[in-house]
Amino acid sequence: MGRPKALVRDADGTAWVVRAARLLTESGCSPVVVVVGAAADEVRAELAAEPVQVIEATDWIEGMGASFRTGLSFLDEHSEVDAVAVVPVDVPGVQRVAVRRVLAEAGPGALARATYDGAPGHPVLIGRTHWAGVIASARGDEGARSYLRAHDVVHVECADVSDGVDVDTVEELPPGHG
């Protein structure tokens, strides 16, 4: 993308990190923990007015795996939640109804993910009993991918209510975003 995806803006000027945080908050998630890395101070400033907790993955350069390890380790130590819904900032088409569908599978043993016409996407729901395994396997840009492939995951179809496209390049940005 050439810049931190968290600071890319929707057509209305909302930073993607704010959009993602609001998506989770408005979907009923609590607490909402945002893991920041690149441009951490700028991203933290964007979130100043949001009811979220911001933590920093100091090893963010490694990739998504660092964010997973940081976020899950934090929640394991500082919360009693049974499961975590993961939504990266670079899926701007995910809507609240998709998050709520996946959240319907919540529980300590949950492993669920949104699918779009059968293709895996976000959000991903990870129950507490799986956190240690995800932390151990999350490396590089894989995040929880290898862990999810090795376990039974409930697939929750969401193509009828959301666009799960993962935007990785400037060319993939929806019109008006930047």
Side-chain angles (χ1 to χ4, degrees), residues 158-178:
C158 294
D160 63 318
V161 295
S162 275
D163 167 0
V165 174
D166 182 345
V167 179
D168 289 325
T169 67
V170 172
E171 294 77 25
E172 296 171 334
L173 284 171
H177 288 63

Side-chain angles (χ1 to χ4, degrees), residues 10-73:
D10 285 339
D12 68 1
T14 303
W16 278 8
V17 68
V18 172
R19 180 198 37 78
R22 288 177 180 166
L23 172 70
L24 291 168
T25 301
E26 293 167 2
S27 297
C29 295
S30 180
V32 173
V33 175
V34 179
V35 181
V36 299
D41 290 340
E42 291 175 71
V43 175
R44 197 177 275 111
E46 291 285 344
L47 293 164
E50 302 302 318
V52 301
Q53 183 149 15
V54 181
I55 59 173
E56 187 171 348
T58 56
D59 53 349
W60 64 268
I61 194 94
E62 175 195 320
M64 192 185 319
S67 295
F68 263 95
R69 291 191 311 272
T70 299
L72 290 177
S73 295

Side-chain angles (χ1 to χ4, degrees), residues 68-84:
F68 263 95
R69 291 191 311 272
T70 299
L72 290 177
S73 295
F74 177 85
L75 285 169
D76 193 40
E77 294 175 25
H78 298 96
S79 99
E80 298 299 318
V81 298
D82 287 337
V84 62

Side-chain angles (χ1 to χ4, degrees), residues 59-140:
D59 53 349
W60 64 268
I61 194 94
E62 175 195 320
M64 192 185 319
S67 295
F68 263 95
R69 291 191 311 272
T70 299
L72 290 177
S73 295
F74 177 85
L75 285 169
D76 193 40
E77 294 175 25
H78 298 96
S79 99
E80 298 299 318
V81 298
D82 287 337
V84 62
V86 178
V87 177
V89 298
D90 63 355
V91 288
V94 173
Q95 303 297 314
R96 285 187 302 269
V97 65
V99 176
R100 289 183 185 130
R101 277 186 187 174
V102 174
L103 287 175
E105 301 296 328
L111 272 181
R113 75 177 318 158
T115 58
Y116 298 90
D117 294 324
H122 287 89
V124 172
L125 183 73
I126 304 169
R128 184 178 278 277
T129 60
H130 296 282
W131 293 0
V134 171
I135 291 168
S137 67
R139 297 286 176 259

